[in-house]
Amino acid sequence: MALHQNLIAGEWIGGDAVPNINPSDTNDVVGEYARGSADDMKTAIAAAKAAFPAWSRSGILERHAILKKTADEILARKDELGALLSREEGKTLPEGIGETIRAAQIFDFFAGECLRLTGETVPSVRPNIGVEMSRDPLGVIGVITPWNFPIAIPAWKIAPALCYGNTVVFKPAELVPGCAWAIVDILHRAGLPKGVLNLVMGKGSVVGQVMLDSPDLSGLTFTGSTGTGKRVALSSIEHNRKFQLEMGGKNPFVVLDDADLNVAVEAAANSSFFSTGQRCTASSRLIVTEGIHDKFVAALTERVNNLNVDHAMKAGTQIGPVVDPGQLKQDEDYIAIGKQEGANLVCGGERLERETPGYYLKPALFTEATNNMRISREEIFGPVAAVIRVKDYEEALHVANDTIFGLSSGIATTSLKHATHFKRNAEAGMVMVNLPTAGVDFHVPFGGRKASSFGSREQGKYAAEFFTSVKTAYTLA
């Protein structure tokens, strides 16, 4: 089996081979991927630093052409790359293909942004002086991405970084090197100059630590756990480095008495269990008012019991496996905690046997939970949700906001009054009305508040806030 190597200074560099295992079938090795060393990462950062002056002054047509070519190839290979994503991460094949299409759309959007770079000219308060505001590229950007969106999240960090003239050092999650390697290979062949984009796969404790310790990174954009995010922040403050964090969530989904039951159940099931619940925008707190509570629980229980959990690549599968043994244990530990805390497990929570050996777990639904239980406070990151019964809208809003997190928040209601009030008063970066809490567009800002996010928003035009630095220039006429 050929070794997929790291890309450093425009050259493919080998390393220790690490097998990429399919969570739907642990006998299936997706590929062998190089594990980089600390020295590899130091070399990659030096290469990005050396490439920055020329790339930061490159023409906008050159950048546009490279990003557009990348978008076109990803889209043309959507079935192949979507299958790769599903094999290595465990998402269903339709989800894998859908995420791949989204990555292509992101690269296409930022290809266009290359041609839409603007500045601003204003008169000075002093006579005969002109004032210009422009955006300069930041410098060398460190990109650290998680395993749950292995092609979309790298796309929405790398594409704007390159669009605005930065160079990149990219460290993907160890569990999903395949998609990372594929998009770097595509960008490399699209014509990026040597050193502009560097890929170093490997352990976070080794290559990731070098990134945190490096004074040569001008910016570090990170998506992952809250604990690691704090380490990224502390190291960045030490080096006076710009940093951007997307971390955890404990997203509420409120169901009011006046909700359309079918809409509410479908949105809740999607929010809580699709993508195996492994989304930072997933909803694991279902906050339901008394009048609809029993009907909602009965309908959602039936929906969950009928979800088809199986091999991610199999036609008809709705829920794939959990990503790896560590995450599976975490899910099972929280299910045990929920029982100990007194919540009622109405369905699911047990491991499943399928034709192939994999990390299969039946989605778990608790009722009679309270908002002070650990299963209601801590991010589980698996197919586990708890229903919290409340009296009315006012209590629902209070419970929804009673969390350290603030990424996404949803409500099911047919009341314009309550929907409008919720949009204005939900303490979250994104609010969904009669829609799942997960599922966002690629051209608008993504991000949260409180412990979920720090720094400027990702995606769309708002990405410029992180990847550029504003310069103000004065000229005497």
Side-chain angles (χ1 to χ4, degrees), residues 97-415:
I97 294 172
E99 183 181 331
T100 302
I101 293 170
R102 181 178 172 188
Q105 292 168 333
I106 291 166
F107 275 104
D108 186 61
F109 177 87
F110 283 105
E113 285 296 278
C114 292
L115 306 180
R116 293 189 288 264
L117 297 176
T118 61
E120 192 176 358
T121 302
V122 299
S124 171
V125 295
R126 296 169 288 171
N128 302 318
I129 292 176
V131 185
E132 303 167 56
M133 283 81 77
S134 61
R135 288 188 175 273
D136 286 353
L138 202 58
V140 179
I141 303 292
V143 171
I144 302 176
T145 58
W147 49 260
N148 61 327
F149 283 88
I151 195 166
I153 292 179
W156 85 44
K157 294 179 186 291
I158 293 171
L162 297 175
C163 164
Y164 296 118
N166 302 282
T167 55
V168 174
V169 178
F170 173 32
K171 184 227 157 316
E174 286 183 82
L175 284 175
V176 288
C179 288
W181 189 93
I183 62 171
V184 168
D185 173 58
I186 292 169
L187 279 160
H188 178 59
R189 289 186 290 99
L192 276 180
K194 291 184 178 182
V196 171
L197 174 62
N198 303 270
L199 169 69
V200 184
M201 301 173 286
K203 286 184 171 292
S205 58
V206 178
V207 297
Q209 190 61 47
V210 173
M211 298 174 81
L212 268 56
D213 294 340
S214 175
D216 292 326
L217 293 185
S218 301
L220 188 49
T221 174
F222 166 83
T223 301
S225 70
T226 302
T228 304
K230 289 179 180 179
R231 291 179 55 210
V232 170
L234 288 172
S235 70
S236 296
I237 290 168
E238 182 179 347
H239 293 292
N240 201 28
R241 170 200 303 140
K242 201 171 183 182
F243 62 98
Q244 178 183 57
L245 309 176
E246 289 295 343
M247 299 173 288
K250 196 66 183 175
N251 309 295
F253 185 75
V254 171
V255 180
L256 298 185
D257 288 353
D258 61 24
D260 181 305
L261 184 62
N262 291 330
V263 169
V265 168
E266 198 55 39
N270 186 307
S271 298
S272 302
F273 305 118
F274 281 43
S275 296
T276 323
Q278 296 172 157
R279 301 183 284 197
C280 54
T281 50
S283 178
S284 55
R285 291 190 300 143
L286 306 176
I287 302 165
V288 186
T289 50
E290 288 178 332
I292 199 173
H293 178 277
D294 292 352
K295 289 187 290 183
F296 174 81
V297 168
L300 182 59
T301 301
E302 181 181 4
R303 182 76 173 92
V304 173
N305 278 326
N306 289 328
L307 289 172
N308 183 20
V309 182
D310 210 329
H311 195 297
M313 305 287 286
K314 184 179 289 187
T317 295
Q318 294 168 293
I319 309 292
V322 175
V323 72
D324 76 341
Q327 186 61 50
L328 181 59
K329 182 180 186 303
Q330 179 170 304
D331 296 345
E332 291 180 319
D333 287 348
Y334 272 108
I335 291 167
I337 289 167
K339 293 177 183 177
Q340 293 163 9
E341 290 181 312
N344 177 34
L345 182 64
V346 294
C347 66
E350 68 271 16
R351 292 197 191 190
L352 300 172
E353 296 292 328
R354 292 297 181 257
E355 292 179 8
T356 52
Y359 310 120
Y360 298 105
L361 181 69
K362 184 175 176 59
L365 179 65
F366 285 97
T367 60
E368 307 308 323
T370 65
N371 203 48
N372 58 9
M373 292 179 176
R374 285 183 63 191
I375 58 169
S376 302
R377 308 301 297 177
E378 301 170 12
E379 186 174 41
I380 299 170
F381 220 67
V384 183
V387 177
I388 301 170
R389 187 197 300 256
V390 294
K391 180 181 178 182
D392 52 23
Y393 169 73
E394 286 71 25
E395 185 182 359
L397 177 64
H398 172 75
V399 172
N401 288 337
D402 181 16
T403 172
I404 63 169
F405 298 106
L407 183 56
S408 185
S409 191
I411 188 169
T413 180
T414 55
S415 164

